[in-house]
Amino acid sequence: VTYYFPAKDDLLMRAIRQSEEALTRDAEKILATIKDPWKRLDRLVDLSASSGPSDPGWVLWFQVWSSAAQDPDIAHVHDELDARWREILTDVISYGCERGAFHSDQPEQAARLLSATIDGLSIQLTLGSPSITRKQLLRLCRQAAELLLSPQA
């Protein structure tokens, strides 16, 4: 392992890149089969949110965030991967807007807000907070999406 990855951060970056590339590839395939905008959005949230306490993908992200705070190269990789995920979310929101199911003049900003909601709740769930379950996380993300993307009264 040390031959291919002289530093722990090299291994971390390879792991997160492979994990995210696989998740992105799978998500794009799955989402392309879902025509209903709300179901498409729900499925993306389901794919990206924490699965529960100690979710290995989310624990890996914790390591990336910690290292990114001290290393600009890791911060760059983090930004690149995070931007790619938000792009998929933006595409889902734009898809819903084009079909009249969502209403947003700024799909990118809606994606950023919804992404932050998913991240924040997923952190709580991954850390094992007794105040949130996966079912609650998904319901709260849906409520946030409805607030962001439904027509205003």
Side-chain angles (χ1 to χ4, degrees):
V1 172
T2 57
Y3 177 77
Y4 292 105
F5 306 103
K8 177 185 163 195
D9 287 339
D10 295 332
L11 180 59
L12 176 64
M13 290 299 90
R14 172 67 66 90
I16 196 67
R17 276 190 187 280
Q18 285 184 331
S19 172
E20 288 301 301
E21 286 170 4
L23 182 60
T24 298
R25 192 173 47 251
D26 293 346
E28 288 174 336
K29 283 182 195 174
I30 291 166
L31 297 176
T33 67
I34 303 170
K35 302 301 178 205
D36 178 85
W38 282 105
K39 288 180 182 176
R40 187 179 280 204
L41 180 59
D42 287 341
R43 186 66 175 123
L44 181 58
V45 171
D46 180 59
L47 290 168
S48 61
S50 173
S51 64
S54 301
D55 176 303
W58 276 87
V59 170
L60 184 60
W61 270 109
F62 292 173
Q63 292 295 319
V64 171
W65 292 329
S66 177
S67 296
Q70 300 172 13
D71 185 323
D73 292 333
I74 295 173
H76 177 74
V77 172
H78 165 268
D79 290 343
E80 175 188 317
L81 295 173
D82 196 47
R84 177 66 188 122
W85 193 254
R86 275 195 324 274
E87 182 180 316
I88 293 169
L89 183 54
T90 299
D91 289 347
V92 168
I93 292 170
S94 295
Y95 174 87
C97 290
E98 291 164 5
R99 281 148 188 80
F102 303 159
H103 301 274
S104 176
D105 293 334
Q106 299 179 320
E108 297 87 5
Q109 293 304 316
R112 185 174 290 277
L113 286 168
L114 188 53
S115 178
T117 301
I118 296 165
D119 288 354
L121 293 170
S122 289
I123 289 168
Q124 293 175 40
L125 183 61
T126 303
L127 293 176
S129 173
S131 65
I132 190 156
T133 64
R134 176 149 167 85
K135 185 176 179 180
Q136 290 170 320
L137 179 152
L138 296 174
R139 191 181 78 244
L140 288 169
C141 287
R142 175 61 183 253
Q143 288 174 341
E146 289 172 354
L147 289 169
L148 284 168
L149 301 172
S150 293
Q152 302 301 316

